[in-house]
Amino acid sequence: MKNPGTAVAGGGTTVGKFPTKLITISIKHIVGSIIVDLDNTKNIAEAVCN
């Protein structure tokens, strides 16, 4: 029987045992999204101003 307090996230990571890994992955995704948004904004600004 599985432990009812254990949640499983993507990649087979058990959140109950490795909460810092989930937080680290989440932060990496957020930072990656911000970088993409900034790059897109920069590219749009360059296209409009040139």
Side-chain angles (χ1 to χ4, degrees), residues 23-43:
I23 293 168
T24 302
I25 292 170
S26 298
I27 290 171
K28 285 182 181 180
H29 285 298
I30 292 168
V31 170
S33 297
I34 292 170
I35 290 171
V36 169
D37 287 343
L38 291 174
D39 283 344
N40 288 343
T41 303
K42 178 185 165 210
N43 291 335

